[in-house]
Amino acid sequence: MKKLLSIILALVLVFSLVACGGSNEEPTPSGGDTPAPAPAPADDGPKPPSVCVVVGNASDKSFSESLARGAALCGTEIGSEYKVIEFGSDETKMLPTLEDLSEDGKWDIIAVASYSYVEYIEACAEKYPDQHYVLFDAASTAGYPNVYSADYKGNEGAYLAGALAAMVTTDTEEMEYANPEKVVGWVGGMDMTLINDFVLGFIQGAHDIDPEVKVITSYTNSFGDTAKGKELAQIMIDAGCDLVYNGAGGAGMGCLEAGKENHTYSIGTDSDQAMLFADDPEKANLILASQLKSLDINLLDVATRYMNGEDVFGHHENLGVASGVICLSDNEFTKKNVPAWMLEKINELSDKIKDGTIVVESAYGQDDAVVHEKIDAARP
Amino acid sequence: MNVASLIFTPKFLATIIRMTTPLIYAMLAAVIVNRAGVMNLAVESTMLTGALLGVLFSTWTKSAWLGFLLAIIGCVLLSLAIGYAAFVLKADESLNGVAFNLMMQGGTIFILYLVTGSKGMSNDLQSKVLPKWDIPIIKDIPFIGTVFSGHYLLTYIAVIMVIFVHVLIFRTKFGLRLRLVGENPQAAESVGINSQKMKMIAMCLAGGISAIGGCFMSMGYVSWFQSGMTAGRGFIGMASSTLGGNTPLGGSLASFLFGTADAIAITLSTLSIPGEFVTMIPYVVTVIGLVVSSSLSGKAGKRKGDKK
């Protein structure tokens, strides 16, 4: 009996090692896992670059998943050979993985996403000058000629979301669950510039539609505590909000639950949240749209430009609505639940951002106190 | 919108009750093991595991209550393993608890990945939710109805559990033995009580009760499992138990204190009060509470000493 128990215990421990160790296997991107025996380009065309994506978790329903999808997209669109490598939750594995890949020299482009990898990429770029690196959602300013980096104007996407929110909360006729009070809620993950950049865009977008719309901003101070996200949204709904925007990762999912229970609307970020809950139409129908950051489009764009001989590496780009990387989701639930005139208005506003008629305010480069003053001024 | 209009409302009191419920279960689990003289840090991990198992089993059995029961059984088994490592294999109790906490942090994600292919949340599973309960008559009373009625059934079960654990520890033969084992294991052995067995039973009870707390998180509060969703509530429960002098009633008061601090914190955060200040509130309350409780018990000890 004792022996049996100790064997079971040993098994459990081994199991846990496997669990913590993460997996270096290839994930299954939607649409087949084999590195596509893609349609070979015609002989006269340039050779598509091979792409290797390194992420922590390729099925996080958010950011990394978008990047992993980008690799698959390069495979199907331009015929790249591609691979997705996951290193799990242990960030110390990032650098060795990058070094191994660079040493191999098998891949034309190695792509990663997150500001926490800037140093790793720059270290590798110095060591392996012939290897090309792509760094998303961060800025590499050291000027290595083999690094392309891009970060995003989240505030422009939030501007569109804010405009939509304002149209929804003021339209009590067409929107079934809109209340007469012109108040919307904003649940963020943490009080930091990255998040407040969104808040300022959101407030500006809402005020451009109707200056009387008020925005209650609050933070969960955690990206995983769903219960807290739900309580926070509940408090906002009790205070008269009929739409809550969430930008708090997993904690934000709690806001959707509060929306479902109270019959109020939600707008999401990073992943297409309505499609996450497509099985639960009662909830999905209340998620009017999600603000997306399409790393997949960006990666395909970089690979294509590289293939065509353009000089993309050695540069940094700050991309917004104009590049198509930042946009609002356009899924079946959005089409069904948002009146057509609102969608048209959103398109009109995106065009104005594209041609520069509208300049969206950013929290970057502003003093924190000034940013908070602006956020407080929008409160009811 | 001002502070008073947000806090002095029945809805705010209902928020406190919702936020306190998981803490009560974690606290009860901690009380039982502390009474048996065991240092069990693994409440957080059994809670998290309970949350995951509740979602998985309710999906597979298509019944919320069956899933709930199986989650409890699963966590009792997990506690058996924790207890076996600590009491039979003589692993250091604190390190053992920490090890299991870390293991299940990764383990729950691993199991979630095996089942759903996702590492973040279980929204692909059609898991069931435990019901809410409107108390007849009381629900129609204006203020009191909003505060006390319409919570999840597990909230009301928490109240029953507090009384149950109180009676179990202080009014039964089992409880007497449990306390004896905790206070003086040698004396317990000398009168023929198997202290290892008692500690093991305490671990299992704690595992089962914390699993209920986990199920409340994933089958009531929200309807899915999210990696790391207990977010330290197990630890707060342990702190409440210590703060309440390892009694279910005192611990409940302490849990309410933490629940209230948490509720105030998130309510105030919708106003223009600095977020950093607001997030401090629960922890400041913790420190103040611990200091007050230890100085009170210090005084009580002195008084006893004087009498002698």
Side-chain angles (χ1 to χ4, degrees):
Chain A
M1 183 63 188
K2 244 183 190 176
K3 223 175 204 172
L4 183 71
L5 268 176
S6 51
I7 290 173
I8 292 175
L9 205 63
L11 276 178
V12 167
L13 285 174
V14 169
F15 200 61
S16 76
L17 275 182
V18 174
C20 301
S23 44
N24 264 32
E25 95 251 32
E26 215 166 315
T28 9
S30 46
D33 53 344
T34 38
D43 295 335
D44 50 347
K47 186 182 165 296
S50 53
V51 180
C52 183
V53 162
V54 187
V55 290
N57 168 8
S59 50
D60 66 349
K61 311 253 179 227
S62 171
F63 214 58
S64 306
E65 192 166 328
S66 176
L67 181 57
R69 224 175 17 240
L73 199 63
C74 289
T76 50
E77 291 293 317
I78 56 175
S80 296
E81 194 185 331
Y82 69 89
K83 184 174 177 133
V84 178
I85 292 177
E86 293 179 274
F87 59 87
S89 55
D90 182 2
E91 293 210 348
T92 55
K93 285 194 189 138
M94 184 69 181
L95 187 58
T97 309
L98 282 179
E99 281 177 335
D100 283 351
L101 287 169
S102 310
E103 193 74 47
D104 264 2
K106 181 170 179 263
W107 304 98
D108 294 323
I109 295 174
I110 297 175
V112 302
S114 168
Y115 57 89
S116 34
Y117 305 142
V118 176
E119 279 177 34
Y120 301 158
I121 288 291
E122 289 179 349
C124 287
E126 174 139 15
K127 209 164 156 193
Y128 306 98
D130 296 332
Q131 176 70 53
H132 290 109
Y133 299 95
V134 169
L135 174 64
F136 290 129
D137 207 32
S140 165
T141 47
Y144 289 103
N146 52 340
V147 176
Y148 165 89
S149 67
D151 57 13
Y152 306 102
K153 296 174 188 162
N155 56 341
E156 293 189 353
Y159 177 92
L160 299 179
L164 176 62
M167 286 188 274
V168 169
T169 191
T170 49
D171 188 351
T172 45
E173 277 167 30
E174 264 180 288
M175 303 306 294
E176 192 185 348
Y177 302 117
N179 61 22
E181 283 170 79
K182 295 180 182 179
V183 187
V184 293
W186 210 101
V187 175
M190 214 158 272
D191 189 354
M192 57 186 193
T193 313
L194 174 77
I195 300 281
N196 287 337
D197 194 43
F198 281 60
V199 183
L200 288 189
F202 187 83
I203 293 173
Q204 189 184 346
H207 285 173
D208 278 4
I209 296 293
D210 183 344
E212 282 173 26
V213 170
K214 300 292 179 193
V215 181
I216 303 179
T217 305
S218 186
Y219 311 90
T220 54
N221 288 310
S222 148
F223 286 93
D225 196 341
T226 35
K228 212 165 173 187
K230 186 177 170 189
E231 287 295 349
L232 215 42
Q234 182 67 51
I235 290 167
M236 292 179 172
I237 291 165
D238 290 343
C241 296
D242 45 17
L243 182 146
V244 176
Y245 177 108
N246 71 77
M253 299 294 159
C255 303
L256 306 179
E257 188 85 351
K260 180 185 167 187
E261 278 178 18
N262 294 282
H263 293 293
T264 55
Y265 298 108
S266 303
I267 296 181
T269 12
D270 279 354
S271 48
D272 198 338
Q273 293 181 353
M275 297 315 283
L276 288 184
F277 293 98
D279 298 336
D280 183 359
E282 202 190 327
K283 187 186 277 179
N285 278 324
L286 290 166
I287 306 170
L288 296 178
S290 296
Q291 178 184 343
L292 301 179
K293 206 186 265 182
S294 313
L295 298 190
D296 47 352
I297 293 177
N298 198 353
L299 182 62
L300 176 64
D301 178 57
V302 171
T304 314
R305 276 152 67 189
Y306 175 74
M307 181 172 82
N308 296 335
E310 243 182 85
D311 177 29
V312 280
F313 289 93
H315 298 289
H316 170 74
E317 284 183 302
N318 184 237
L319 300 172
V321 166
S323 67
V325 176
I326 298 288
C327 58
L328 287 190
S329 64
D330 185 24
N331 57 46
E332 49 188 291
F333 295 101
T334 307
K335 286 192 185 102
K336 189 172 131 202
N337 299 307
V338 181
W341 69 268
M342 290 187 191
L343 293 177
E344 265 168 44
K345 180 80 186 166
I346 294 290
N347 282 336
E348 187 190 310
L349 290 172
S350 350
D351 287 340
K352 278 189 182 162
I353 294 176
K354 273 180 206 169
D355 64 26
T357 331
I358 295 176
V359 178
V360 183
E361 188 179 10
S362 171
Y364 288 102
Q366 287 201 61
D367 192 47
D368 258 2
V370 179
V371 171
H372 283 125
E373 224 167 79
K374 285 177 180 160
I375 292 173
D376 288 341
R379 291 179 202 274
Chain B
M1 212 166 46
N2 57 40
V3 180
S5 72
L6 275 176
I7 288 186
F8 299 109
T9 63
K11 277 183 175 166
F12 176 72
L13 297 176
T15 307
I16 295 180
I17 292 178
R18 275 199 304 274
M19 302 207 76
T20 305
T21 306
L23 302 182
I24 296 256
Y25 285 110
M27 179 273 299
L28 289 176
V31 165
I32 291 179
V33 285
N34 285 350
R35 281 287 171 181
V38 181
M39 177 78 184
N40 180 20
L41 293 175
V43 174
E44 176 80 10
S45 68
T46 43
M47 218 171 150
L48 192 60
T49 313
L52 174 66
L53 293 183
V55 165
L56 293 184
F57 285 128
S58 73
T59 307
W60 291 330
T61 59
K62 303 214 171 9
S63 150
W65 289 107
L66 211 52
F68 174 66
L69 276 182
L70 288 170
I72 294 176
I73 293 170
C75 284
V76 169
L77 291 178
L78 176 68
S79 300
L80 266 180
I82 301 174
Y84 183 77
F87 311 136
V88 181
L89 304 179
K90 304 287 179 210
D92 182 275
E93 278 176 15
S94 327
L95 287 182
N96 188 40
V98 171
F100 271 91
N101 278 343
L102 290 174
M103 177 180 110
M104 290 325 292
Q105 225 172 51
T108 46
I109 299 176
F110 182 61
I111 296 169
L112 183 69
Y113 178 64
L114 287 184
V115 176
T116 65
S118 152
K119 291 174 190 164
M121 60 192 289
S122 68
N123 61 306
D124 292 340
L125 299 175
Q126 302 293 315
S127 65
K128 303 284 182 239
V129 190
L130 294 167
K132 283 185 173 181
W133 189 43
D134 287 316
I135 313 173
I137 303 173
I138 291 185
K139 74 170 197 282
D140 299 323
I141 306 173
F143 189 88
I144 296 172
T146 323
V147 178
F148 293 107
S149 180
H151 289 289
Y152 291 96
L153 208 50
L154 287 184
T155 302
Y156 303 109
I157 293 178
V159 180
I160 299 171
M161 287 300 287
V162 170
I163 298 165
F164 169 75
V165 173
H166 179 81
V167 171
L168 182 76
I169 291 181
F170 296 109
R171 294 277 182 278
T172 63
K173 205 161 97 182
F174 170 81
L176 184 67
R177 291 181 173 178
L178 187 82
R179 282 182 288 145
L180 184 56
V181 166
E183 279 168 27
N184 195 335
Q186 282 85 9
E189 294 279 356
S190 75
V191 293
I193 301 171
N194 183 343
S195 69
Q196 208 171 63
K197 192 175 133 199
M198 291 303 291
K199 285 181 175 178
M200 210 61 147
I201 294 175
M203 285 298 286
C204 293
L205 276 174
I209 292 176
S210 54
I212 305 179
C215 288
F216 175 78
M217 297 293 295
S218 67
M219 302 170 75
Y221 226 140
V222 296
S223 54
W224 62 84
F225 175 82
Q226 172 104 33
S227 57
M229 72 186 301
T230 48
R233 286 180 177 79
F235 293 115
I236 301 277
M238 288 176 227
S240 320
S241 162
T242 312
L243 193 58
N246 288 325
T247 60
L249 301 178
S252 303
L253 273 181
S255 303
F256 261 103
L257 187 68
F258 288 123
T260 310
D262 235 356
I264 290 179
I266 64 170
T267 307
L268 290 188
S269 73
T270 60
L271 302 175
S272 54
I273 294 171
E276 295 78 6
F277 175 74
V278 166
T279 36
M280 254 168 49
I281 296 175
Y283 305 101
V284 171
V285 169
T286 312
V287 174
I288 294 174
L290 282 173
V291 169
V292 169
S293 97
S294 77
S295 74
L296 281 183
S297 64
K299 264 184 200 160
K302 252 187 205 164
R303 240 178 270 142
K304 264 185 200 165
D306 291 345
K307 271 183 192 169
K308 275 175 196 169

